[in-house]
Amino acid sequence: MIGAGIVKGMAVTLRHLLRRPFTVQYPEERLPLPERFRGNELIWLVEKCTGCNTCAKACPHGVIQVETSAKLDENRYFVEKFEADMGLCIFCGLCVEACPFEALYLSREFEKATYRHEDMFRRRDDFINAQKNFSGYFYPYLDKERPKRLEGW
Ligand code: SF4
Ligand code: SF4
């Protein structure tokens, strides 16, 4: 039939005219983030970290640097340095998966863009003082037990 294509095209247009819009007016409007969303920040828990360096070895981009000193009186290592150049991070999560002590998490923060690369560098104290918005990535129990398991962090 001549003009069938036009009718079909107009039907599609009309259908979309009657739907609610898909777009949101960010940043005034925000979509809810999934619990396991991988943001552009790492969360490091100094109290859990043994300085084993496994995360640094697992990272394909050499983002993380760890240095320790021996605390002979307490029979453990002290983590002198824990640093990450988040400007190089690709948020693959391999470091999080590799950590044997649940000391490293991905964050759900995603508004961390800066004008200068050096502003994306995180030092030990930056990690300690950072606001911790845990992602459930690789830790699905966090979805349900978030408040209980992470109380006090
Ligand atoms: S998320 Fe991936 S790229 Fe980023 S620090 Fe961890 S292992 Fe490295
Ligand atoms: S793998 Fe975990 S415990 Fe080991 S240095 Fe990294 S964050 Fe610390």
Side-chain angles (χ1 to χ4, degrees):
M1 187 183 94
I2 297 169
I6 294 174
V7 173
K8 271 189 199 166
M10 289 309 291
V12 170
T13 306
L14 279 173
R15 250 198 336 267
H16 280 273
L17 275 178
L18 299 173
R19 274 187 189 159
R20 285 186 60 206
F22 293 112
T23 49
V24 292
Q25 300 300 318
Y26 177 87
E28 288 79 20
E29 288 177 53
R30 285 155 190 267
L31 294 172
L33 291 176
E35 289 295 319
R36 296 175 205 183
F37 174 78
R38 286 188 252 180
N40 57 351
E41 197 68 84
L42 287 174
I43 295 173
W44 175 61
L45 302 182
V46 61
E47 296 85 350
K48 289 190 171 190
C49 180
T50 61
C52 67
N53 210 34
T54 310
C55 53
K57 286 183 194 156
C59 177
H61 276 198
V63 171
I64 300 172
Q65 290 176 35
V66 185
E67 280 180 21
T68 55
S69 60
K71 272 214 160 197
L72 296 177
D73 49 334
E74 294 178 26
N75 199 24
R76 68 177 180 90
Y77 288 111
F78 176 74
V79 184
E80 301 265 5
K81 177 169 130 179
F82 190 94
E83 295 180 353
D85 184 349
M86 297 311 292
L88 300 179
C89 179
I90 55 170
F91 317 109
C92 62
L94 290 177
C95 55
V96 174
E97 294 183 27
C99 177
F101 300 101
E102 298 192 5
L104 204 55
Y105 299 77
L106 279 165
S107 158
R108 296 169 82 234
E109 297 293 329
F110 63 96
E111 295 166 312
K112 295 284 182 177
T114 62
Y115 286 106
R116 297 184 309 171
H117 184 172
E118 53 265 37
D119 291 341
M120 302 195 79
F121 202 82
R122 303 283 180 266
R123 292 182 175 77
R124 189 180 191 279
D125 284 348
D126 298 327
F127 279 111
I128 291 171
N129 299 325
Q131 194 183 352
K132 296 174 177 63
N133 183 4
F134 291 87
S135 164
Y137 169 76
F138 193 62
Y139 292 103
Y141 61 76
L142 288 183
D143 297 355
K144 292 195 176 65
E145 301 178 26
R146 183 182 300 270
K148 200 167 62 189
R149 291 281 298 231
L150 298 172
E151 225 165 69
W153 291 115

